[in-house]
Structure formats: structure tokens, C-alpha cells
Amino acid sequence: MSRALNSTSNCTLNGALNSLRLAGITKRFGNVTANDRISLAVRSGSIHGLLGENGAGKSTLMNILSGLYQPDEGEIFLDGQRVQMNAPADAIRRGIGMIHQHFMLVPQLTVVENIILGQGSGGQGAGGAARGWIGMPLNLQAYAREILELGKNYGLEVPPLAKVGELAVGIQQRVEILKVLYRQARILILDEPTAVLTPAEIDAFLDVLRRLAARGHTIIFISHKLDEVMAVCDEVSILRRGCVVATLQTAETNRTQLARLMIDRDVDINVRLPEQSAGDVVLSVKDVWVSGVLRGLSLQVRAGEILGIAGVDGNGQRELADAVAGLLPVQKGSIEIFSSASSASASSARSHKQLAYIPEDRQHQGLVLSFSIARNLILKRFAQLPFCRRWILQREAIAANATQAIQDFDIRTTSGKIKVAQLSGGNQQKVILARELAGAPDVIVAMQPTRGLDIGATAAVQQSLIAQRSRGAAILYISTELEEVMAMSDRIAVISRGRLVDVLAAKDATIEKVGALMVGSAVNTGAPL
């Protein structure tokens, strides 16, 4: 039986060993309470996980700790002393560093320039050897030696004079960590830090976190990946509706219990594809060249099949999805969906019946945020019956369609009249699913369909797509989450630098094998598989 520590007892956990303690933190935005009397403690030298659904209050709490927000009520204690974070500079000065999900680096600058950026001469760095007077030129070589030594001490070796934009994503992640260590941070907040890393990079990154904790750094690890939380965290606190519902020792809990605490209902976190035979080829991509990124890529997807696309982010996934959807021109080769084709000489639009597209950026590509839920649901059919007659929108039909979609896809809202901008990320994604899956499309392109979603919303999206597979749709499933691709696919196509590396049966694939292929080996240039 796991040992849960309730929110009132968290504040005194391990007494003086607490590096950080939050007591009764409350933050309101109008009538919405984002954080409701949150009390928790993080032990010095530990890795403390923070879990919760989208909208549970994690980001608000970390923004308070980072000095971006001020709490309406409550107190923050560091090493037993009450402190107040009036601005991010206060947090940095007190040794709190935030490592964001999307890297805050300037690609055109070198590693050393990124690390010292904004500190000014005489700023507080790790060693101080390269500090000079205001107005004097920077001695980048001296800074580089200092950063090289810092990286060696922490097992975070980086080339200090290389441009950040030319580095692999995993090395850029090291630069982000070195940046906060250089500013002498002892409490590190990591927000979804492994979202864009390969399996090998994730393993190495988790080892880095363990070494940091062993050297006395305190780490708050925010993630939706329960396996990683279980693997690296000493304790984990779960937030639900702005409250701490439990703090558990990870050695005494499991993924299922954590998922249940996060969403307050049972959810199957293990995706299982029912066995079925694939039908005829529905989507055929032949020797496609796009935007200088896709280079002779060929693949096929059959009816009743999910073909997963695995690859490090930025290796042509977005270009493939947009080309199949008819949003990018094809310089060479062809894309065929039944009898529709797109080639260098002819680009025919995909019909609504044939193709559904779930884009990776739901807010900028998938929705009109200023429109209501009801209007977003008819964006592709607003000129068709029954939503339009004689060029006049039919309000009753539009409202009825929204009511049915809200029920079928469990969209958490009070009305279809609500602006889609007011929904959580998971519910926004459900609106896109409801619109795109209407009319039983033959081909579904799902680009990062669960990015940024919590466990409950992820399960809902995946079950919707599995249902479409069962009725015979051909699905192209693209995600940088390798475990998700492996769980959701019948076959896995690995791409690297815009080329097809290999296609594997999901039942024969392993994380190690696919991960090795993702970094580019033995490019397959033969016929589509």
C-alpha cells in the first residue's frame, strides 16, 4: 500500500531537510481558482515529480515559484526562511532556475554566448574568472574554458564555441541546464524536459538528473510521462483542480494509481490495438520531394491500418503531413488517395470525405479561437447542407450538430456557444477530432495528436482513432513520443533527414532498435513498404 501524505502534512515533511516549502498558496484569476491552498515540501537533494491534468494548476504554481505571478495567499520558504518572489530576478538570485519545455536559446549564437546572455559583465556566474569591466570586450575564450570545466564537473559536456542551432536537441538540452547551473541555481524546475528527446537521449538525461541530485541540487520534475516519473523521482505530488490530492513515495506506488489520482476516474493507460487484417492500399506516397526536406520518401498505408511515423522532431514529419493533406506542393513524386493525386504538375484538393487532418498546433492550425465550438465544428462544411441553405447559415442545425458532437466526444463544456478559446487543451483537441472524423474519412493524418495532453485526454484521442481504424480508415500517426507510436501502430516507419530509414512491424519493434534508427542508419531507398 502506498503512503500518501495529505496536503496539510506536506509542509513539515522531513523537517529541516526541506529545501523548499510552499504553505497555503492560493492564486485566483477572476472567479477561477488556479491554486487552492497548496502546501507541499520538496526535500533538499531530491527529485520531486509534479503531476496533474491540463488545467490542474501546475504551471501557475511554478510561475509563482519563478516570480512571474504573485500569490493571493500563502507563503514560500527556502531553507526555513520566508521569501517573496516579486520578479523572476528574485527567483534567480535565490538560486531557482526554470528549464522550459521549449528551449529559450538563440540558435545563431554560440553555446557560451547563450549561457552568459543577459548576465552582463560582473554578473554572478559559476566561477567568475572571465568577468570584466563594463565597456570592455568579452573574453569568450575565458568564458568557454569556465563553461567547459562546469560541464565536465556535472557530466554535461558541450562544445562551448559551437553555434546552438547546429547542435543536436539532446545537446541543446544540456546547454539549458548549464545555463541555470552557471547562474548558481540549486533548485531546478523542469517542465516536460524530455518532450523532444530520443530514447537514448532520455536515458542519458535522466542519468544527468540523478547526478545533479546526488550533488545536492533539488529538482522539480513536471511531466505527463508516468514511466519517467517512476524511474527518476523520489517523491511525486499530484494536483487536481488546483489542489494537492496526495504526495507519494514513488517506490511505494505505480502508474495506475498515479493516473487514478490525477484524473479521479479509472483510465486504461495501456493502449491495445485489437487484431485485424489490413485491407487494400488507401494512401500511397511515391518518391516524394517536398521543400528540400523530404527527399524521395515512399510509403503506403492500408485500410484498417495505423502506420506510425517515428523520428526526431524536425526530420520531415511536418512536411509529410502537410503534403499528404495538400497544404504543401510536391516538387517531385506523387501522393495518391484512392483516385486523387498530387504531383509536381497537378495538385488536386483532398475531399472532406477522403481525408481528415489533425494538425500538431491545435490553436494556430486547427481552430479559430474567437469562434464558438459550434462554428469550429462546421469549418469544413459550412457551405453544405444542412448547415447552409441558399447561402444562409442554419443556426438550429449548427447548434444540433454541436450538441451531438459534445455528447459523442465528451467535450467538457456547458454549451456549443462557448468560445473554443475558453476550453482546455484536451477539450480543444476533442473539438478537432469531432470535426475531422465526421463523415467517416478514408485517410486520417494525425500529427502529434496528444502533444501536451494529460492522461485522460490522451486516452480519449487514442480510443477515437482506434475506433476509426476498426471501421477501416487508413491512419498516418505521427508523434515524437516513441512509446506512443509503438503502442498505437500496426507498422512503424522510421524517418531521418527526410528519408525513409526502415519500416518495422510494431510487434517486432523495440525501443532500442527504433531509437537507433531514428538517429539515422542504413537508409532504405527501395520500394515503398
Side-chain angles (χ1 to χ4, degrees), residues 78-260:
L78 289 177
D79 297 325
Q81 300 295 315
R82 183 180 181 277
V83 297
Q84 187 168 346
M85 311 293 186
N86 294 315
D90 291 336
I92 293 171
R93 188 166 55 253
R94 291 188 168 92
I96 298 175
M98 180 86 173
I99 300 168
H100 298 270
Q101 178 178 352
H102 302 288
F103 300 157
M104 302 295 182
L105 300 172
V106 182
Q108 296 83 2
L109 298 183
T110 64
V111 169
V112 63
E113 288 168 334
N114 269 278
I115 289 175
I116 67 174
L117 186 64
Q119 296 199 69
S121 57
Q124 51 175 330
R131 237 60 65 218
W133 296 97
I134 294 175
M136 293 183 64
L138 292 174
N139 186 345
L140 290 182
Q141 291 291 342
Y143 277 108
R145 288 191 294 270
E146 190 176 355
I147 290 166
L148 193 62
E149 184 65 25
L150 181 66
K152 288 181 179 178
N153 288 339
Y154 282 95
L156 292 166
E157 289 85 355
V158 296
L161 297 177
K163 286 190 176 181
V164 163
E166 298 173 357
L167 299 178
V169 174
I171 303 300
Q172 291 185 33
Q173 181 73 275
R174 292 186 177 194
V175 176
E176 282 282 20
I177 297 174
L178 284 173
K179 188 166 67 174
V180 297
L181 292 177
Y182 188 78
R183 299 181 182 191
Q184 300 180 325
R186 58 188 182 85
I187 298 176
L188 280 64
I189 304 170
L190 295 92
D191 185 10
E192 298 287 350
T194 64
V196 294
L197 303 184
T198 66
E201 288 171 334
I202 290 173
D203 290 340
F205 177 72
L206 297 183
D207 284 340
V208 167
L209 296 189
R210 295 185 186 100
R211 289 198 296 270
L212 287 170
R215 293 174 67 102
H217 291 280
T218 303
I219 298 169
I220 300 176
F221 186 82
I222 305 170
S223 178
H224 286 128
K225 300 179 181 180
L226 296 182
D227 286 334
E228 292 177 11
V229 169
M230 293 294 298
V232 77
C233 294
D234 302 298
E235 296 170 332
V236 56
S237 293
I238 301 95
L239 270 63
R240 191 169 70 232
R241 302 186 188 94
C243 300
V244 176
V245 295
T247 294
L248 307 170
Q249 305 291 324
T250 51
E252 301 175 3
T253 187
N254 54 58
R255 295 170 70 243
T256 301
Q257 184 183 23
L258 292 178
R260 181 71 173 79

Side-chain angles (χ1 to χ4, degrees), residues 346-368:
S347 179
S348 59
R350 310 292 188 253
S351 73
H352 303 316
K353 161 66 178 170
Q354 285 180 316
L355 181 89
Y357 185 30
I358 303 167
E360 66 173 327
D361 190 335
R362 52 183 166 266
Q363 294 194 350
H364 293 95
Q365 294 176 286
L367 300 165
V368 180

Side-chain angles (χ1 to χ4, degrees), residues 22 38 73 95 148 233 285 288 383 397 421 480 515-516:
L22 306 178
I38 289 180
E73 300 172 16
L148 193 62
C233 294
V285 178
V288 164
T480 53

